[in-house]
Amino acid sequence: MSQTYKAMPFTVTTHHDKVINKNEPWENHPAYDTTEMRFCIVSTDTGEVLDDAQGYGYKTAQKAYAGYSYKNRDKSEDKERLAKKRHIEK
């Protein structure tokens, strides 16, 4: 079954609390938010999210494609490769 998918960007906002240091007031920082772009793999047929790195998202589209393809690889080929490696080591 061939499935079509693509990497879709989304934004992640992280809130940082203010830092108050009474002993060293020059190190005080106000509260602030940071936003960054992350990517998840989405099915082009259904729009369903197939992989989002457990909610964190991938930093680049290339890493999203690599992660998704690794998770959905043919594991029987890994067993064959490992068997060949063990045979060579003997």
Side-chain angles (χ1 to χ4, degrees):
M1 181 177 143
S2 177
Q3 189 173 24
T4 57
Y5 54 89
K6 63 180 178 177
M8 294 290 294
F10 66 96
T11 58
V12 175
T13 303
T14 306
H15 177 74
H16 303 277
D17 293 327
K18 68 179 179 177
V19 176
I20 298 176
N21 188 345
K22 293 181 181 178
N23 296 330
E24 299 172 347
W26 56 86
E27 290 188 6
N28 291 347
H29 300 288
Y32 62 96
D33 292 334
T34 58
T35 58
E36 78 180 318
M37 294 295 296
R38 295 288 184 133
F39 292 87
C40 64
I41 298 293
V42 178
S43 171
T44 56
D45 300 331
T46 63
E48 176 188 7
V49 175
L50 301 174
D51 185 21
D52 64 350
Q54 297 180 349
Y56 291 102
Y58 294 95
K59 287 195 174 190
T60 64
Q62 181 181 7
K63 293 292 184 182
Y65 287 124
Y68 183 71
S69 64
Y70 179 77
K71 290 177 184 178
N72 294 316
R73 70 189 186 284
D74 186 9
K75 292 175 179 66
S76 64
E77 291 177 5
D78 292 345
K79 291 178 185 176
E80 292 172 4
R81 189 175 301 120
L82 183 60
K84 288 179 184 178
K85 182 178 179 182
R86 287 184 181 162
H87 180 70
I88 291 171
E89 290 175 355
K90 288 183 180 179

